[in-house]
Amino acid sequence: MSPLRRVLASCLTLASLTTVSCESSIPSSPSVATPPAVNPSTSRDFAGLCEGVKCGIVENANRQVSELRAKMAESGTCIPAFGVVADEICNKALEEFASSAPDAGDSSEDAATYENKLEELERAVDAPLQVLYLRQLALIREKALQKYKAASRTSEASDYEAMLSADSQFVSEAEDATREGSDWEFGQERTNLQTVMSDLASSGKKVTDIQIKSAQQQSTAMQYLQQQQQMIQQLQMQLYGQTSPWNVGVAYRIPETNFNLQGSYQQGRTNVQLSCVPDEYASMLGPNGFTQGVGPGNLGLSLNLSI
């Protein structure tokens, strides 16, 4: 028998003794007949009366649980001090049963029936509250997980410190939501939270390692290219001496022909190229084509200066 049931049984016994003492102290009157006490005639009648009281109390408790469920669904947040609220609902139901159920008297069979109905009442009220408790734990776990993600992204703390902080917050809020003296427990939800945080930390570390490795490879490739460029410049200096900073390019299309003459001077070297390329835009530039479109001598000049 739980401590709460022992207290309720003691209160019922004390109330019965007080009633008997008060009735014996009242003087009897010959003109007023005392009505007989209403007691169940059989154990079946006693069980039926207890069942009726229990059903009424369960209906009232379920109404309160429905209100809590609607409040949680509407706000999408946890109910503050849910454990205390659940305790109040359960204790109120047990107290109401103790005050409304019939007295078992000296019958051991009726006393056993009373205890069974009391246990059934506690289970019937506890079950829907425990369902809300599991929903509460899911919200608390999600809140702690979001805290871990935010801490791991924005703060300079390590993943381990962020995990400890999120786990501590989960345990604190879960303890507030747990009904005292019940078999409610949040160990499985805590384990799931720790597993998810560990997986996120591992995947985040892998991504970081890949990024660091990729950056190192790019840096190595750039260093190699710079070394090759320096080697090429050194070979050019050995072959051609000190290169000139001037780069000059000249292009000339012979009028009324498809011949294009190009010349360039770059890094101390001169290059002349003659090509036969049709003028694709001649039809758009008039009967004389491009030959009368640009400056004296129809000469194109490109100048690049590197210092």
Side-chain angles (χ1 to χ4, degrees):
M1 181 180 297
S2 63
L4 180 59
R5 295 199 188 98
R6 285 198 292 267
V7 173
L8 292 176
S10 300
C11 293
L12 287 174
T13 304
L14 181 60
S16 300
L17 294 175
T18 305
T19 304
V20 172
S21 176
C22 292
E23 289 177 353
S24 61
S25 62
I26 299 176
S28 58
S29 174
S31 59
V32 179
T34 303
V38 179
N39 292 319
S41 58
T42 63
S43 298
R44 182 177 300 178
D45 294 336
F46 181 83
L49 292 174
C50 290
E51 181 67 22
V53 173
K54 185 197 76 173
C55 292
I57 295 173
V58 170
E59 184 178 355
N60 293 333
N62 287 338
R63 190 179 300 110
Q64 299 179 24
V65 174
S66 299
E67 294 176 357
L68 293 177
R69 184 185 299 108
K71 181 179 179 181
M72 184 182 297
E74 181 180 357
S75 62
T77 57
C78 301
I79 299 176
F82 179 77
V84 177
V85 175
D87 268 335
E88 292 177 353
I89 294 176
C90 288
N91 293 339
K92 182 179 178 181
L94 295 176
E95 292 174 359
E96 186 175 353
F97 182 83
S99 61
S100 302
D103 185 16
D106 297 332
S107 174
S108 59
E109 186 175 354
D110 290 348
T113 301
Y114 180 90
E115 288 296 329
N116 291 335
K117 295 300 180 181
L118 194 62
E119 293 177 358
E120 292 176 2
L121 172 63
E122 186 176 9
R123 289 195 298 267
V125 176
D126 180 83
L129 288 173
Q130 191 169 9
V131 173
L132 288 185
Y133 172 71
L134 295 177
R135 294 185 181 179
Q136 187 102 343
L137 289 181
L139 293 175
I140 295 173
R141 183 186 63 180
E142 184 63 25
K143 182 179 178 182
L145 185 60
Q146 294 301 326
K147 179 180 180 180
Y148 164 75
K149 292 180 179 179
S152 60
R153 285 195 305 263
T154 60
S155 67
E156 298 180 354
S158 63
D159 288 339
Y160 179 72
E161 293 176 350
M163 290 174 63
L164 287 180
S165 178
D167 182 72
S168 177
Q169 174 180 313
F170 174 82
V171 171
S172 177
E173 296 187 6
E175 288 178 348
D176 290 339
T178 304
R179 187 166 77 89
E180 185 177 358
S182 66
D183 58 350
W184 297 2
E185 58 90 24
F186 52 86
Q188 184 62 40
E189 293 292 332
R190 184 182 183 184
T191 302
N192 293 339
L193 172 64
Q194 293 174 349
T195 302
V196 172
M197 291 191 296
S198 298
D199 292 342
L200 290 176
S202 299
S203 61
K205 185 178 180 181
K206 290 180 181 178
V207 171
T208 303
D209 292 341
I210 292 174
Q211 292 176 348
I212 293 175
K213 187 176 181 180
S214 177
Q216 291 175 348
Q217 291 176 350
Q218 291 179 359
S219 177
T220 302
M222 291 298 298
Q223 291 178 0
Y224 176 77
L225 293 176
Q226 290 176 357
Q227 291 175 358
Q228 295 298 317
Q229 182 68 25
Q230 291 176 359
M231 292 177 62
I232 293 173
Q233 292 178 356
Q234 290 176 0
L235 291 174
Q236 289 178 347
M237 291 180 63
Q238 292 176 2
L239 293 175
Y240 307 107
Q242 183 67 33
T243 58
S244 173
W246 293 91
N247 293 328
V248 180
V250 178
Y252 178 72
R253 176 179 290 274
I254 301 175
E256 305 298 333
T257 66
N258 291 330
F259 293 102
N260 188 28
L261 181 63
Q262 295 179 346
S264 63
Y265 176 80
Q266 184 177 8
Q267 295 182 354
R269 301 182 62 185
T270 302
N271 183 29
V272 179
Q273 181 179 0
L274 179 63
S275 60
C276 182
V277 181
D279 189 0
E280 298 177 355
Y281 300 99
S283 60
M284 302 180 183
L285 299 175
N288 296 321
F290 188 71
T291 57
Q292 295 182 356
V294 176
N298 298 321
L299 188 67
L301 180 64
S302 175
L303 176 63
N304 295 322
L305 179 62
S306 301
I307 301 177

